PDB file of all heavy atoms in Angstrom:
ATOM      1  N   SER A   1       0.862  -1.120   0.005  1.00  0.00           N
ATOM      2  CA  SER A   1      -0.108   0.055  -0.005  1.00  0.00           C
ATOM      3  C   SER A   1       0.858   1.261   0.021  1.00  0.00           C
ATOM      4  O   SER A   1       2.057   1.192   0.238  1.00  0.00           O
ATOM      5  CB  SER A   1      -0.903   0.041   1.202  1.00  0.00           C
ATOM      6  OG  SER A   1      -1.853  -1.087   1.243  1.00  0.00           O
ATOM      7  N   LEU A   2       0.073   2.397  -0.300  1.00  0.00           N
ATOM      8  CA  LEU A   2       0.847   3.623  -0.164  1.00  0.00           C
ATOM      9  C   LEU A   2      -0.056   4.466   0.930  1.00  0.00           C
ATOM     10  O   LEU A   2      -1.171   4.437   0.853  1.00  0.00           O
ATOM     11  CB  LEU A   2       0.685   4.442  -1.468  1.00  0.00           C
ATOM     12  CG  LEU A   2       1.710   4.157  -2.646  1.00  0.00           C
ATOM     13  CD1 LEU A   2       1.398   5.135  -3.846  1.00  0.00           C
ATOM     14  CD2 LEU A   2       3.097   4.341  -2.108  1.00  0.00           C
ATOM     15  N   THR A   3       0.733   5.036   1.890  1.00  0.00           N
ATOM     16  CA  THR A   3      -0.046   5.599   3.020  1.00  0.00           C
ATOM     17  C   THR A   3       0.368   7.102   3.026  1.00  0.00           C
ATOM     18  O   THR A   3       1.527   7.571   2.572  1.00  0.00           O
ATOM     19  CB  THR A   3       0.347   5.073   4.366  1.00  0.00           C
ATOM     20  OG1 THR A   3       1.635   5.189   4.601  1.00  0.00           O
ATOM     21  CG2 THR A   3      -0.010   3.532   4.366  1.00  0.00           C
ATOM     22  N   GLY A   4      -0.500   7.966   3.373  1.00  0.00           N
ATOM     23  CA  GLY A   4      -0.309   9.462   3.485  1.00  0.00           C
ATOM     24  C   GLY A   4       0.602   9.823   4.595  1.00  0.00           C
ATOM     25  O   GLY A   4       1.089  11.026   4.399  1.00  0.00           O
ATOM     26  N   GLY A   5       0.852   9.008   5.580  1.00  0.00           N
ATOM     27  CA  GLY A   5       1.740   9.424   6.683  1.00  0.00           C
ATOM     28  C   GLY A   5       2.647   8.333   6.981  1.00  0.00           C
ATOM     29  O   GLY A   5       2.523   7.122   6.443  1.00  0.00           O
ATOM     30  N   PRO A   6       3.695   8.540   7.763  1.00  0.00           N
ATOM     31  CA  PRO A   6       4.616   7.513   8.178  1.00  0.00           C
ATOM     32  C   PRO A   6       3.870   6.355   8.832  1.00  0.00           C
ATOM     33  O   PRO A   6       2.906   6.556   9.403  1.00  0.00           O
ATOM     34  CB  PRO A   6       5.473   8.302   9.248  1.00  0.00           C
ATOM     35  CG  PRO A   6       5.304   9.676   8.959  1.00  0.00           C
ATOM     36  CD  PRO A   6       3.872   9.841   8.436  1.00  0.00           C
ATOM     37  N   ASN A   7       4.430   5.274   8.480  1.00  0.00           N
ATOM     38  CA  ASN A   7       3.774   3.938   9.167  1.00  0.00           C
ATOM     39  C   ASN A   7       4.895   3.235   9.914  1.00  0.00           C
ATOM     40  O   ASN A   7       6.183   3.439   9.516  1.00  0.00           O
ATOM     41  CB  ASN A   7       3.156   3.017   8.091  1.00  0.00           C
ATOM     42  CG  ASN A   7       4.050   2.770   6.973  1.00  0.00           C
ATOM     43  OD1 ASN A   7       5.090   2.019   7.034  1.00  0.00           O
ATOM     44  ND2 ASN A   7       3.852   3.284   5.736  1.00  0.00           N
ATOM     45  N   GLY A   8       4.622   2.341  10.698  1.00  0.00           N
ATOM     46  CA  GLY A   8       5.451   1.547  11.450  1.00  0.00           C
ATOM     47  C   GLY A   8       5.857   0.201  10.855  1.00  0.00           C
ATOM     48  O   GLY A   8       6.459  -0.592  11.608  1.00  0.00           O
ATOM     49  N   ASP A   9       5.707   0.109   9.553  1.00  0.00           N
ATOM     50  CA  ASP A   9       5.894  -1.172   8.984  1.00  0.00           C
ATOM     51  C   ASP A   9       7.468  -1.524   8.898  1.00  0.00           C
ATOM     52  O   ASP A   9       8.217  -0.747   8.760  1.00  0.00           O
ATOM     53  CB  ASP A   9       5.564  -1.162   7.516  1.00  0.00           C
ATOM     54  CG  ASP A   9       3.966  -0.964   7.331  1.00  0.00           C
ATOM     55  OD1 ASP A   9       3.330  -0.888   8.318  1.00  0.00           O
ATOM     56  OD2 ASP A   9       3.526  -1.202   6.171  1.00  0.00           O
ATOM     57  N   THR A  10       7.640  -2.812   9.130  1.00  0.00           N
ATOM     58  CA  THR A  10       8.929  -3.418   9.132  1.00  0.00           C
ATOM     59  C   THR A  10       8.911  -4.638   8.344  1.00  0.00           C
ATOM     60  O   THR A  10       8.288  -5.590   8.722  1.00  0.00           O
ATOM     61  CB  THR A  10       9.568  -3.655  10.583  1.00  0.00           C
ATOM     62  OG1 THR A  10       9.632  -2.548  11.349  1.00  0.00           O
ATOM     63  CG2 THR A  10      10.932  -4.242  10.518  1.00  0.00           C
ATOM     64  N   ALA A  11       9.642  -4.619   7.168  1.00  0.00           N
ATOM     65  CA  ALA A  11       9.498  -5.738   6.312  1.00  0.00           C
ATOM     66  C   ALA A  11      10.670  -5.769   5.330  1.00  0.00           C
ATOM     67  O   ALA A  11      11.076  -4.655   5.047  1.00  0.00           O
ATOM     68  CB  ALA A  11       8.176  -5.848   5.617  1.00  0.00           C
ATOM     69  N   SER A  12      10.984  -6.840   4.727  1.00  0.00           N
ATOM     70  CA  SER A  12      11.864  -6.904   3.658  1.00  0.00           C
ATOM     71  C   SER A  12      11.111  -7.623   2.469  1.00  0.00           C
ATOM     72  O   SER A  12      10.779  -8.797   2.526  1.00  0.00           O
ATOM     73  CB  SER A  12      13.155  -7.726   3.989  1.00  0.00           C
ATOM     74  OG  SER A  12      14.066  -7.795   2.857  1.00  0.00           O
ATOM     75  N   LEU A  13      10.934  -6.899   1.415  1.00  0.00           N
ATOM     76  CA  LEU A  13      10.147  -7.286   0.278  1.00  0.00           C
ATOM     77  C   LEU A  13      11.095  -7.514  -0.923  1.00  0.00           C
ATOM     78  O   LEU A  13      11.901  -6.571  -1.368  1.00  0.00           O
ATOM     79  CB  LEU A  13       9.105  -6.289  -0.046  1.00  0.00           C
ATOM     80  CG  LEU A  13       8.058  -5.753   0.956  1.00  0.00           C
ATOM     81  CD1 LEU A  13       7.160  -4.791   0.454  1.00  0.00           C
ATOM     82  CD2 LEU A  13       7.493  -6.833   1.608  1.00  0.00           C
ATOM     83  N   THR A  14      10.980  -8.710  -1.469  1.00  0.00           N
ATOM     84  CA  THR A  14      11.917  -9.239  -2.449  1.00  0.00           C
ATOM     85  C   THR A  14      11.446  -9.205  -3.798  1.00  0.00           C
ATOM     86  O   THR A  14      10.302  -9.637  -4.061  1.00  0.00           O
ATOM     87  CB  THR A  14      12.500 -10.568  -2.025  1.00  0.00           C
ATOM     88  OG1 THR A  14      13.105 -10.492  -0.797  1.00  0.00           O
ATOM     89  CG2 THR A  14      13.501 -11.168  -3.136  1.00  0.00           C
ATOM     90  N   VAL A  15      12.123  -8.733  -4.832  1.00  0.00           N
ATOM     91  CA  VAL A  15      11.791  -8.961  -6.180  1.00  0.00           C
ATOM     92  C   VAL A  15      12.963  -9.275  -6.979  1.00  0.00           C
ATOM     93  O   VAL A  15      14.202  -8.881  -6.746  1.00  0.00           O
ATOM     94  CB  VAL A  15      11.192  -7.475  -6.716  1.00  0.00           C
ATOM     95  CG1 VAL A  15      12.250  -6.383  -6.666  1.00  0.00           C
ATOM     96  CG2 VAL A  15      10.732  -7.667  -8.131  1.00  0.00           C
ATOM     97  N   ALA A  16      12.849 -10.122  -7.971  1.00  0.00           N
ATOM     98  CA  ALA A  16      13.907 -10.711  -8.766  1.00  0.00           C
ATOM     99  C   ALA A  16      13.895 -10.237 -10.176  1.00  0.00           C
ATOM    100  O   ALA A  16      12.806  -9.840 -10.665  1.00  0.00           O
ATOM    101  CB  ALA A  16      13.992 -12.284  -8.759  1.00  0.00           C
ATOM    102  N   PRO A  17      14.995 -10.208 -10.851  1.00  0.00           N
ATOM    103  CA  PRO A  17      14.959  -9.796 -12.347  1.00  0.00           C
ATOM    104  C   PRO A  17      14.058 -10.781 -13.140  1.00  0.00           C
ATOM    105  O   PRO A  17      14.000 -11.979 -12.702  1.00  0.00           O
ATOM    106  CB  PRO A  17      16.441  -9.964 -12.794  1.00  0.00           C
ATOM    107  CG  PRO A  17      17.257  -9.813 -11.403  1.00  0.00           C
ATOM    108  CD  PRO A  17      16.454 -10.443 -10.462  1.00  0.00           C
ATOM    109  N   GLY A  18      13.365 -10.251 -14.020  1.00  0.00           N
ATOM    110  CA  GLY A  18      12.512 -11.103 -14.844  1.00  0.00           C
ATOM    111  C   GLY A  18      12.263 -10.470 -16.285  1.00  0.00           C
ATOM    112  O   GLY A  18      12.829  -9.418 -16.608  1.00  0.00           O
ATOM    113  N   LEU A  19      11.242 -11.000 -17.031  1.00  0.00           N
ATOM    114  CA  LEU A  19      11.141 -10.633 -18.350  1.00  0.00           C
ATOM    115  C   LEU A  19       9.696 -10.048 -18.575  1.00  0.00           C
ATOM    116  O   LEU A  19       9.308  -9.846 -19.701  1.00  0.00           O
ATOM    117  CB  LEU A  19      11.445 -11.762 -19.298  1.00  0.00           C
ATOM    118  CG  LEU A  19      12.726 -12.308 -19.360  1.00  0.00           C
ATOM    119  CD1 LEU A  19      12.829 -13.394 -20.267  1.00  0.00           C
ATOM    120  CD2 LEU A  19      13.795 -11.234 -19.966  1.00  0.00           C
ATOM    121  N   SER A  20       8.942  -9.803 -17.391  1.00  0.00           N
ATOM    122  CA  SER A  20       7.530  -9.262 -17.653  1.00  0.00           C
ATOM    123  C   SER A  20       7.571  -7.943 -18.281  1.00  0.00           C
ATOM    124  O   SER A  20       6.563  -7.514 -18.842  1.00  0.00           O
ATOM    125  CB  SER A  20       6.807  -9.288 -16.339  1.00  0.00           C
ATOM    126  OG  SER A  20       7.433  -8.354 -15.375  1.00  0.00           O
ATOM    127  N   THR A  21       8.694  -7.225 -18.157  1.00  0.00           N
ATOM    128  CA  THR A  21       8.790  -5.736 -18.709  1.00  0.00           C
ATOM    129  C   THR A  21       8.794  -5.857 -20.205  1.00  0.00           C
ATOM    130  O   THR A  21       8.856  -4.646 -20.716  1.00  0.00           O
ATOM    131  CB  THR A  21       9.873  -4.988 -17.966  1.00  0.00           C
ATOM    132  OG1 THR A  21      11.051  -5.696 -18.045  1.00  0.00           O
ATOM    133  CG2 THR A  21       9.542  -4.617 -16.585  1.00  0.00           C
ATOM    134  N   VAL A  22       9.005  -6.909 -20.792  1.00  0.00           N
ATOM    135  CA  VAL A  22       9.045  -7.026 -22.321  1.00  0.00           C
ATOM    136  C   VAL A  22       7.735  -6.508 -22.912  1.00  0.00           C
ATOM    137  O   VAL A  22       7.588  -5.902 -23.842  1.00  0.00           O
ATOM    138  CB  VAL A  22       9.222  -8.492 -22.733  1.00  0.00           C
ATOM    139  CG1 VAL A  22       8.900  -8.640 -24.174  1.00  0.00           C
ATOM    140  CG2 VAL A  22      10.677  -8.824 -22.505  1.00  0.00           C
ATOM    141  N   CYS A  23       6.628  -6.674 -22.000  1.00  0.00           N
ATOM    142  CA  CYS A  23       5.390  -6.115 -22.461  1.00  0.00           C
ATOM    143  C   CYS A  23       4.972  -5.004 -21.420  1.00  0.00           C
ATOM    144  O   CYS A  23       4.413  -5.288 -20.399  1.00  0.00           O
ATOM    145  CB  CYS A  23       4.240  -7.258 -22.450  1.00  0.00           C
ATOM    146  SG  CYS A  23       2.542  -6.539 -22.919  1.00  0.00           S
ATOM    147  N   SER A  24       5.489  -3.868 -21.632  1.00  0.00           N
ATOM    148  CA  SER A  24       5.291  -2.735 -20.614  1.00  0.00           C
ATOM    149  C   SER A  24       5.324  -1.344 -21.336  1.00  0.00           C
ATOM    150  O   SER A  24       5.758  -1.262 -22.601  1.00  0.00           O
ATOM    151  CB  SER A  24       6.406  -2.745 -19.569  1.00  0.00           C
ATOM    152  OG  SER A  24       7.718  -2.407 -20.227  1.00  0.00           O
ATOM    153  N   ASN A  25       4.979  -0.365 -20.593  1.00  0.00           N
ATOM    154  CA  ASN A  25       4.991   1.044 -21.067  1.00  0.00           C
ATOM    155  C   ASN A  25       6.488   1.409 -21.463  1.00  0.00           C
ATOM    156  O   ASN A  25       6.631   2.085 -22.389  1.00  0.00           O
ATOM    157  CB  ASN A  25       4.400   2.031 -20.034  1.00  0.00           C
ATOM    158  CG  ASN A  25       4.492   3.428 -20.594  1.00  0.00           C
ATOM    159  OD1 ASN A  25       5.411   4.142 -20.322  1.00  0.00           O
ATOM    160  ND2 ASN A  25       3.508   3.889 -21.219  1.00  0.00           N
ATOM    161  N   ASP A  26       7.416   1.016 -20.612  1.00  0.00           N
ATOM    162  CA  ASP A  26       8.784   1.321 -20.864  1.00  0.00           C
ATOM    163  C   ASP A  26       9.262   0.716 -22.160  1.00  0.00           C
ATOM    164  O   ASP A  26      10.178   1.258 -22.929  1.00  0.00           O
ATOM    165  CB  ASP A  26       9.666   1.041 -19.670  1.00  0.00           C
ATOM    166  CG  ASP A  26       9.825   2.158 -18.603  1.00  0.00           C
ATOM    167  OD1 ASP A  26       9.117   3.043 -18.840  1.00  0.00           O
ATOM    168  OD2 ASP A  26      10.623   1.987 -17.711  1.00  0.00           O
ATOM    169  N   ALA A  27       8.887  -0.528 -22.368  1.00  0.00           N
ATOM    170  CA  ALA A  27       9.255  -1.329 -23.662  1.00  0.00           C
ATOM    171  C   ALA A  27       8.709  -0.503 -24.746  1.00  0.00           C
ATOM    172  O   ALA A  27       9.300  -0.411 -25.924  1.00  0.00           O
ATOM    173  CB  ALA A  27       8.784  -2.750 -23.611  1.00  0.00           C
ATOM    174  N   ALA A  28       7.480  -0.084 -24.604  1.00  0.00           N
ATOM    175  CA  ALA A  28       6.804   0.685 -25.789  1.00  0.00           C
ATOM    176  C   ALA A  28       7.523   2.006 -25.906  1.00  0.00           C
ATOM    177  O   ALA A  28       7.667   2.449 -27.199  1.00  0.00           O
ATOM    178  CB  ALA A  28       5.315   0.795 -25.430  1.00  0.00           C
ATOM    179  N   GLN A  29       8.001   2.546 -24.882  1.00  0.00           N
ATOM    180  CA  GLN A  29       8.666   3.907 -25.053  1.00  0.00           C
ATOM    181  C   GLN A  29      10.029   3.640 -25.776  1.00  0.00           C
ATOM    182  O   GLN A  29      10.449   4.324 -26.651  1.00  0.00           O
ATOM    183  CB  GLN A  29       9.070   4.417 -23.653  1.00  0.00           C
ATOM    184  CG  GLN A  29       9.722   5.797 -23.637  1.00  0.00           C
ATOM    185  CD  GLN A  29      10.090   6.190 -22.318  1.00  0.00           C
ATOM    186  OE1 GLN A  29      10.600   5.369 -21.417  1.00  0.00           O
ATOM    187  NE2 GLN A  29       9.975   7.550 -21.879  1.00  0.00           N
ATOM    188  N   ALA A  30      10.625   2.495 -25.429  1.00  0.00           N
ATOM    189  CA  ALA A  30      12.019   2.157 -26.029  1.00  0.00           C
ATOM    190  C   ALA A  30      11.874   1.906 -27.531  1.00  0.00           C
ATOM    191  O   ALA A  30      12.930   1.888 -28.211  1.00  0.00           O
ATOM    192  CB  ALA A  30      12.667   0.963 -25.324  1.00  0.00           C
ATOM    193  N   THR A  31      10.667   1.389 -27.930  1.00  0.00           N
ATOM    194  CA  THR A  31      10.552   1.063 -29.394  1.00  0.00           C
ATOM    195  C   THR A  31       9.853   2.283 -30.088  1.00  0.00           C
ATOM    196  O   THR A  31       9.176   2.153 -31.111  1.00  0.00           O
ATOM    197  CB  THR A  31       9.530  -0.236 -29.528  1.00  0.00           C
ATOM    198  OG1 THR A  31       8.253   0.075 -28.871  1.00  0.00           O
ATOM    199  CG2 THR A  31      10.201  -1.469 -28.935  1.00  0.00           C
ATOM    200  N   THR A  32       9.966   3.353 -29.537  1.00  0.00           N
ATOM    201  CA  THR A  32       9.563   4.749 -30.027  1.00  0.00           C
ATOM    202  C   THR A  32       7.953   4.706 -30.145  1.00  0.00           C
ATOM    203  O   THR A  32       7.343   5.582 -30.695  1.00  0.00           O
ATOM    204  CB  THR A  32      10.108   5.170 -31.432  1.00  0.00           C
ATOM    205  OG1 THR A  32       9.534   4.203 -32.409  1.00  0.00           O
ATOM    206  CG2 THR A  32      11.645   5.044 -31.365  1.00  0.00           C
ATOM    207  N   GLY A  33       7.384   3.762 -29.452  1.00  0.00           N
ATOM    208  CA  GLY A  33       5.845   3.732 -29.451  1.00  0.00           C
ATOM    209  C   GLY A  33       5.254   2.647 -30.303  1.00  0.00           C
ATOM    210  O   GLY A  33       4.044   2.397 -30.259  1.00  0.00           O
ATOM    211  N   VAL A  34       6.160   1.844 -30.976  1.00  0.00           N
ATOM    212  CA  VAL A  34       5.590   0.837 -31.933  1.00  0.00           C
ATOM    213  C   VAL A  34       4.985  -0.203 -31.078  1.00  0.00           C
ATOM    214  O   VAL A  34       3.891  -0.780 -31.399  1.00  0.00           O
ATOM    215  CB  VAL A  34       6.776   0.139 -32.741  1.00  0.00           C
ATOM    216  CG1 VAL A  34       6.225  -1.101 -33.366  1.00  0.00           C
ATOM    217  CG2 VAL A  34       7.337   1.231 -33.618  1.00  0.00           C
ATOM    218  N   LEU A  35       5.494  -0.642 -29.889  1.00  0.00           N
ATOM    219  CA  LEU A  35       4.868  -1.674 -29.069  1.00  0.00           C
ATOM    220  C   LEU A  35       3.532  -1.199 -28.545  1.00  0.00           C
ATOM    221  O   LEU A  35       2.738  -2.152 -28.217  1.00  0.00           O
ATOM    222  CB  LEU A  35       5.735  -2.154 -27.967  1.00  0.00           C
ATOM    223  CG  LEU A  35       5.449  -3.388 -27.247  1.00  0.00           C
ATOM    224  CD1 LEU A  35       5.358  -4.573 -28.283  1.00  0.00           C
ATOM    225  CD2 LEU A  35       6.451  -3.699 -26.134  1.00  0.00           C
ATOM    226  N   ALA A  36       3.369  -0.018 -28.325  1.00  0.00           N
ATOM    227  CA  ALA A  36       2.060   0.562 -27.854  1.00  0.00           C
ATOM    228  C   ALA A  36       0.931   0.260 -28.621  1.00  0.00           C
ATOM    229  O   ALA A  36      -0.248   0.551 -28.257  1.00  0.00           O
ATOM    230  CB  ALA A  36       2.219   2.058 -27.542  1.00  0.00           C
ATOM    231  N   ILE A  37       1.082  -0.170 -29.970  1.00  0.00           N
ATOM    232  CA  ILE A  37       0.049  -0.474 -30.820  1.00  0.00           C
ATOM    233  C   ILE A  37      -0.884  -1.637 -30.013  1.00  0.00           C
ATOM    234  O   ILE A  37      -1.992  -1.697 -30.216  1.00  0.00           O
ATOM    235  CB  ILE A  37       0.512  -0.928 -32.182  1.00  0.00           C
ATOM    236  CG1 ILE A  37       1.047   0.090 -32.966  1.00  0.00           C
ATOM    237  CG2 ILE A  37      -0.552  -1.767 -32.933  1.00  0.00           C
ATOM    238  CD1 ILE A  37       1.742  -0.344 -34.211  1.00  0.00           C
ATOM    239  N   ILE A  38      -0.057  -2.541 -29.350  1.00  0.00           N
ATOM    240  CA  ILE A  38      -0.768  -3.528 -28.577  1.00  0.00           C
ATOM    241  C   ILE A  38      -1.242  -3.065 -27.285  1.00  0.00           C
ATOM    242  O   ILE A  38      -0.480  -2.547 -26.319  1.00  0.00           O
ATOM    243  CB  ILE A  38       0.202  -4.745 -28.392  1.00  0.00           C
ATOM    244  CG1 ILE A  38       0.733  -5.298 -29.643  1.00  0.00           C
ATOM    245  CG2 ILE A  38      -0.441  -5.823 -27.553  1.00  0.00           C
ATOM    246  CD1 ILE A  38       1.850  -6.292 -29.437  1.00  0.00           C
ATOM    247  N   ASN A  39      -2.586  -3.018 -27.012  1.00  0.00           N
ATOM    248  CA  ASN A  39      -3.112  -2.338 -25.756  1.00  0.00           C
ATOM    249  C   ASN A  39      -2.600  -2.804 -24.628  1.00  0.00           C
ATOM    250  O   ASN A  39      -2.229  -2.155 -23.625  1.00  0.00           O
ATOM    251  CB  ASN A  39      -4.628  -2.524 -25.791  1.00  0.00           C
ATOM    252  CG  ASN A  39      -5.271  -1.756 -26.840  1.00  0.00           C
ATOM    253  OD1 ASN A  39      -4.760  -1.136 -27.618  1.00  0.00           O
ATOM    254  ND2 ASN A  39      -6.697  -2.108 -26.891  1.00  0.00           N
ATOM    255  N   ALA A  40      -2.352  -4.186 -24.431  1.00  0.00           N
ATOM    256  CA  ALA A  40      -1.906  -4.826 -23.238  1.00  0.00           C
ATOM    257  C   ALA A  40      -0.545  -4.373 -22.772  1.00  0.00           C
ATOM    258  O   ALA A  40      -0.158  -4.587 -21.718  1.00  0.00           O
ATOM    259  CB  ALA A  40      -1.949  -6.420 -23.396  1.00  0.00           C
ATOM    260  N   CYS A  41       0.216  -3.833 -23.647  1.00  0.00           N
ATOM    261  CA  CYS A  41       1.613  -3.513 -23.324  1.00  0.00           C
ATOM    262  C   CYS A  41       1.678  -1.931 -23.266  1.00  0.00           C
ATOM    263  O   CYS A  41       2.351  -1.429 -22.303  1.00  0.00           O
ATOM    264  CB  CYS A  41       2.605  -3.843 -24.453  1.00  0.00           C
ATOM    265  SG  CYS A  41       2.760  -5.674 -24.642  1.00  0.00           S
ATOM    266  N   GLY A  42       1.131  -1.070 -24.081  1.00  0.00           N
ATOM    267  CA  GLY A  42       1.275   0.301 -23.982  1.00  0.00           C
ATOM    268  C   GLY A  42       0.424   0.937 -22.949  1.00  0.00           C
ATOM    269  O   GLY A  42       0.907   2.024 -22.504  1.00  0.00           O
ATOM    270  N   SER A  43      -0.823   0.466 -22.738  1.00  0.00           N
ATOM    271  CA  SER A  43      -1.638   1.289 -21.867  1.00  0.00           C
ATOM    272  C   SER A  43      -2.092   0.485 -20.582  1.00  0.00           C
ATOM    273  O   SER A  43      -3.009   1.061 -19.932  1.00  0.00           O
ATOM    274  CB  SER A  43      -2.919   1.653 -22.615  1.00  0.00           C
ATOM    275  OG  SER A  43      -3.691   0.424 -23.144  1.00  0.00           O
ATOM    276  N   ASP A  44      -1.547  -0.707 -20.339  1.00  0.00           N
ATOM    277  CA  ASP A  44      -1.961  -1.462 -19.104  1.00  0.00           C
ATOM    278  C   ASP A  44      -0.749  -2.200 -18.614  1.00  0.00           C
ATOM    279  O   ASP A  44      -0.125  -2.885 -19.363  1.00  0.00           O
ATOM    280  CB  ASP A  44      -3.015  -2.440 -19.472  1.00  0.00           C
ATOM    281  CG  ASP A  44      -3.737  -2.923 -18.146  1.00  0.00           C
ATOM    282  OD1 ASP A  44      -3.177  -2.998 -17.106  1.00  0.00           O
ATOM    283  OD2 ASP A  44      -4.938  -3.265 -18.309  1.00  0.00           O
TER     284      ASP A  44
END
């Protein structure tokens, strides 16, 4: 979550490198917008 004020949360959240960003807004940006033709990558 995002909270509007400080919270007392204590946790270590882990994320690993992956390939899901192959279909992403950043991938669409890097292809000058060509990948954005596909809705699922450019706008979601």
Side-chain angles (χ1 to χ4, degrees):
S1 298
L2 284 178
T3 63
N7 55 67
D9 292 9
T10 301
S12 181
L13 307 180
T14 300
V15 60
L19 295 177
S20 67
T21 49
V22 168
C23 182
S24 67
N25 178 271
D26 272 10
Q29 183 186 41
T31 58
T32 69
V34 173
L35 192 62
I37 290 174
I38 304 172
N39 292 359
C41 295
S43 60
D44 196 338

